Amino acid sequence: MIAPPPPVPAQRLPFSVLTGFLGSGKTSFLSRVLASPGFMDTAVIINEFGAIGLDHLLLEAVDQDVVELPNGCVCCAVRQDLAQTLYMLLRRLARGEHRPFRRIVLETSGLAEPAPILYTLSADAFLEASLGVDTVVTAIDSVLGASTLERFPEAVAQAASADRLLLTKTDLAPASDALRAQLAALNPLAGLVDAQEGDPAALLFGGAITAIPRARRFATAVHAHGIAAFTMTLRRPMTRLAFAMALGRLAQEHGEDLLRVKGIVAFADRQGGPAAIHAVQHTMYEPRWLPDWPDADRTSRMVFIMRGIAPQRLLDGFVAGDPVLGENPMLGKTAREGMA
């Protein structure tokens, strides 16, 4: 049982997730982040899959407060342990029993999927009020990344759920054009960055700024272990209720396979700017209302990163918005036939 929660912090603490397949270089990158000036006040949670954990020992050199979760994958067996660990950290912080920290990072097991972690935070009222999800960063091995994505569905899910895709081991071999193209098609929402370039702390924290691809930048579906990315354009404004029901029904029926949804949408029953839409699995986040469109393109559009969900399901669910998949709204019938 989780003890009564402590007071909600005056300001929500940034919470970032660092994931990536086994051997992708997560711990080495995290050590660089924690060594950055101003980032020693970071609480670290480590989850490993295996009876003996080692990553917390590898981080010992940076003199950092590290909490190790019990054996198991954070996306399933120890989800409750993650909540308890966060409660414990925040309780100690409120009581002054813990060295003050201003942010939290979770380094996941190499076999974990990030989406259930984000769901865990959003499903707990205290954690949702206390922590703000900052960035999901997925490490991709530039040497073995392509073959790993082909062989392991866990690696594909990690890449598909990311805000930033971090190319590691580029000092050994540059990322191939084929790998870059594969990642861009799999997750058109994520920024693709070299771990050797830029400020590592800024890559893990500071918020992930991603644009919603325009309709003409539709990413062709990548059938890698059933995971694919689709851009959908709404040619007719929907009411807020009709839209919420359509997205809610999709999340209810296919939640575990709805890895990420992100979009910018205008509604028929609300004047002013559009809303930024964000959903992860079963969780639909509150719309963030924008004062105006971010650029000259005033098209309502969303990106869906899904696993094993037929694209026709999107067209059927959002029929009130006259949806289309594809490069050109005039080619709706062709797109529907080609992707069904």
Side-chain angles (χ1 to χ4, degrees), residues 47-199:
N47 173 234
E48 294 185 275
F49 193 90
I52 301 176
L54 294 177
D55 281 357
H56 65 293
L57 300 177
L58 299 178
L59 290 172
E60 185 178 2
V62 300
D63 189 29
Q64 199 66 40
D65 289 325
V66 178
V67 178
E68 185 183 17
L69 289 178
N71 174 40
C73 179
V74 74
C75 67
C76 45
V78 298
R79 189 181 298 177
Q80 184 72 4
D81 291 312
L82 172 61
Q84 290 178 340
T85 297
L86 291 169
Y87 268 68
M88 177 268 292
L89 284 172
L90 293 169
R91 187 175 294 110
R92 290 181 179 176
L93 180 65
R95 294 174 178 172
E97 300 172 355
H98 197 293
R99 186 170 68 179
F101 56 86
R102 298 176 57 189
R103 65 193 68 80
I104 301 175
V105 58
L106 168 65
E107 181 189 339
T108 76
S109 157
L111 300 175
E113 291 188 22
I117 298 169
L118 304 182
Y119 173 75
T120 299
L121 297 183
S122 65
D124 186 294
F126 169 72
L127 294 180
E128 185 178 32
S130 302
L131 304 175
V133 177
D134 192 300
T135 312
V136 177
V137 176
T138 298
I140 304 291
D141 186 331
S142 64
V143 179
L144 301 175
S147 61
T148 299
L149 290 171
E150 291 176 1
R151 296 173 57 197
F152 299 103
E154 298 89 350
V156 177
Q158 290 167 355
S161 301
D163 295 308
R164 289 195 179 106
L165 295 168
L166 187 72
L167 294 171
T168 61
K169 305 182 183 180
T170 53
D171 54 329
L172 301 178
S176 66
D177 291 340
L179 175 59
R180 290 177 177 270
Q182 184 179 11
L183 293 171
L186 177 63
N187 188 345
L189 293 174
L192 188 60
V193 294
D194 191 325
Q196 302 297 320
E197 299 177 356
D199 179 4

Side-chain angles (χ1 to χ4, degrees), residues 211-227:
I212 306 302
R214 300 181 182 184
R216 64 174 179 272
R217 291 177 56 201
F218 172 75
T220 303
V222 178
H223 296 285
H225 305 286
I227 295 179

Side-chain angles (χ1 to χ4, degrees), residues 15 25 32 61 66 68 74-75 95 125 174 221 244 252 270 278 297 322 331:
F15 179 91
R32 292 175 54 207
V66 178
E68 185 183 17
V74 74
C75 67
R95 294 174 178 172
Q252 181 180 20
R270 187 182 189 277
H278 183 210
D297 186 353
D322 192 15
L331 301 179

